[in-house]
Amino acid sequence: MSLVFAGVTSHGPGITARPETADPVVRDAFFAALGSMRQQLEAAKPDALVVIAAEHFANFFMNNMPAFAMGMADVYEGPIEDEAWLKIKRRDDIPGDADLSKRLITEIMQTVDVAFAEEWRFDHGISVPLHFLTPDYGLKIIPVNINCQGPPLTPLHRAWAFGEALRRACDKVPERIAVIATGGISHWPATPDSGKINEAWDRDFLDRWSRNDRAALTAYTDAETYRDGGQGGFEIRTFIALAACAGGQGDVQFYGPIPQFAVGCTVGVMDIVEP
Amino acid sequence: MSLYALQKLLFTLNRDPALQAAFKADPAPVLDGYRLTDEERGAMTAHDVGLLYVLGVNGQILMHFAAFCGFAWPDYLEAMREGVRRHGPVRAGVYALTSSLDEKVAGL
Ligand SMILES: [Fe+2]
C-alpha cells in the first residue's frame, strides 16, 4: 500500500543496560515518549517495520563493508550483546519477511546499489528500539544498515538518495510499511568521552530534521560532524534517510541529554507527504 | 602497524566462542593466525585494553574484548585513560580521547 509511519529514536545500549544510573525524571519522560511512539506505530497498523540502523560490526566489517545493506530473511537473531549486560533476551526467532524484502530491494536497486543479506544478527542499534516499540516481537522486521562506522562512510547525499528509493519501494508494495531510523545524535560512545553530549549541535540538527531541510541536513562534512558530534555523530545518516523517505515535517516529541546513556535521547515522528 | 589485522582478530574473537576458548587456553596459536606487530601481539597477550585503544582499535570492537577479559564498564573507561597516560594519544581511527585524562564525563 504505502508508507504508514515514520519515526526516529536513539539506540544507546545504556538505555537498557543501566537505566538505574540515569536521572529518573528525564529517563521516565524518555521512556514515556517511547511508549507513546509505540502507540502511534501500532495505530498506523503496519504489516512490517523497516529499521534503518547504524550497526557496530554485528554483521559487516572492513573486509567487505557495504554502504547500504538490507535484510532479506524470514527470521533474524539478536541481540549479539551479552544478555546480562544489555538486559535484552537473545532470540533467534525475530520475524522477517524475505519476500517483502526482495520486492523492496529490487525497487531500491533501480537507483541505489544496496547489498542484501539473507542472514542478519541485530545488535543494540536495532534491539534497543525494538525492546520499547515491539517488545512482543509480533511485527515483521526488515533491517537496513548504513555504514556510519568504518570510514570511508556513506556520503550524506547518498543516505538521502537511499531514503527516497526506500519510499518509492514502500509505495509500490501492497503491504503497510512503517519505517524508523535509529542513531545519534552527538555522542562519543565506547571511549573515555562516553557521556559527553553536544546539546546545542543536537538541537540544531533536530531543527534541520524537523523542517526536513534537505540542503541543511546534507551540508555537514564528516570533519565537522566528528568535531562537533563525535564519531557517534556519524549516525545522523539514518535520520537523514528517514527524512527523505517520509518527506514531511518532523515532530520532536522528546529530546533530553542523559549522559549515563551516552546520548541526547530523542523520539521523533515525521509526517508522511506524497512525493 | 597492522591495525586491520588486529581489528579482524578482535572482531572474530568477539563472536566466536570456540576461538574464545582457544584464546583463553593459549593465546599464542590464535595470534599466529594474524599478521600482528610485536606490540599488538603483546597487547593481546597481556589483555592491555589501554594499549589496544591507543593503537586505534574501534571502541565498538574493543568494548566487547574488554568485557570478555572481565572489565566492568568503569574499569574499561579507566583502562583507556591509563593507556593514553602510558602510551600517548590514540594513533589511528576515530575513537580518540577528547576529554581530559582525569575527567569522568558521565561520573564513571
Ligand atoms: Fe550507535
Side-chain angles (χ1 to χ4, degrees):
Chain A
M1 188 201 130
S2 64
L3 183 65
V4 297
F5 179 84
V8 294
T9 178
S10 312
H11 69 220
I15 295 169
T16 55
R18 38 183 187 274
E20 70 287 351
T21 61
D23 176 345
V25 174
V26 190
R27 176 198 65 202
D28 292 349
F30 173 47
F31 287 178
L34 284 166
S36 165
M37 187 178 181
R38 176 185 174 187
Q39 289 175 350
Q40 295 168 74
L41 172 66
E42 288 174 353
K45 301 199 181 319
D47 297 312
L49 172 62
V50 175
V51 184
I52 305 174
E55 74 153 34
H56 321 78
F57 308 112
N59 303 277
F60 308 109
F61 185 68
M62 278 74 79
N63 60 344
N64 193 1
M65 180 64 81
F68 303 102
M70 198 158 178
M72 194 168 74
D74 283 326
V75 64
Y76 299 103
E77 295 173 40
I80 60 161
E81 286 84 357
D82 183 74
E83 294 168 292
W85 180 73
L86 191 60
K87 302 201 182 84
I88 299 178
K89 192 174 154 35
R90 186 172 301 151
R91 323 177 52 119
D92 58 6
D93 61 349
I94 301 167
D97 186 335
D99 179 71
L100 173 58
S101 284
K102 189 174 186 180
R103 284 178 280 127
L104 292 172
I105 290 165
T106 301
E107 178 58 35
I108 290 169
M109 276 183 172
Q110 299 303 315
T111 53
V112 175
D113 301 324
V114 58
F116 59 86
E118 294 197 39
E119 56 180 287
W120 196 300
R121 302 200 294 179
F122 297 173
D123 69 13
H124 64 269
I126 292 180
S127 291
V128 168
L130 294 188
H131 181 75
F132 291 93
L133 298 176
T134 66
D136 52 5
Y137 291 88
L139 186 59
K140 291 172 174 177
I141 305 299
I142 297 180
V144 169
N145 192 60
I146 301 178
N147 175 22
C148 304
Q149 200 60 247
L153 305 176
T154 307
L156 301 189
H157 71 274
R158 295 301 295 160
W160 183 275
F162 178 84
E164 288 183 328
L166 174 61
R167 173 57 183 277
R168 200 180 63 241
C170 290
D171 287 349
K172 280 199 173 175
V173 296
E175 288 90 347
R176 299 171 62 86
I177 310 290
V179 181
I180 62 164
T182 90
I185 311 170
S186 69
H187 59 307
W188 286 257
T191 74
D193 301 344
S194 178
K196 186 165 130 181
I197 295 163
N198 186 344
E199 182 173 348
W201 191 80
D202 286 358
R203 290 192 183 278
D204 178 66
F205 175 80
L206 287 173
D207 183 58
R208 301 178 196 207
W209 183 81
S210 300
R211 299 195 314 268
N212 206 327
D213 186 337
R214 175 183 184 167
L217 281 169
T218 56
Y220 300 94
T221 66
D222 280 351
E224 289 166 347
T225 299
Y226 187 59
R227 180 193 66 205
D228 299 328
Q231 80 280 7
F234 293 141
E235 293 179 346
I236 58 173
R237 284 158 175 76
T238 66
F239 282 40
I240 292 170
L242 189 282
C245 185
Q249 303 288 294
D251 175 21
V252 178
Q253 300 182 341
F254 182 84
Y255 173 83
I258 303 182
Q260 295 79 9
F261 296 172
V263 287
C265 293
T266 308
V267 173
V269 172
M270 187 168 264
D271 290 338
I272 294 163
V273 168
E274 290 309 312
Chain B
M1 168 70 71
S2 45
L3 181 58
Y4 175 76
L6 179 61
Q7 294 197 103
K8 182 75 188 285
L9 161 61
L10 287 163
F11 169 80
T12 310
L13 189 61
N14 284 345
R15 68 207 49 241
D16 183 347
L19 193 67
Q20 289 171 4
F23 185 83
K24 265 189 178 150
D26 182 6
V30 174
L31 298 174
D32 287 343
Y34 296 83
R35 288 169 174 258
L36 304 178
T37 64
D38 290 345
E39 190 178 36
E40 290 162 344
R41 201 180 161 94
M44 288 298 300
T45 307
H47 296 184
D48 190 342
V49 167
L51 179 53
L52 293 169
Y53 175 62
V54 168
L55 290 172
V57 174
N58 185 300
Q60 302 290 349
I61 293 171
L62 184 58
M63 69 173 176
H64 295 292
F65 180 67
F68 167 69
C69 296
F71 287 69
W73 183 253
D75 301 333
Y76 164 58
L77 299 181
E78 192 52 35
M80 289 187 285
R81 293 187 193 105
E82 184 58 24
V84 173
R85 271 184 213 112
R86 282 192 292 129
H87 304 287
V90 173
R91 299 177 201 166
V94 293
Y95 280 69
L97 176 93
T98 61
S99 53
S100 87
L101 276 170
D102 342 290
E103 193 176 347
K104 294 202 186 323
V105 179
L108 296 169

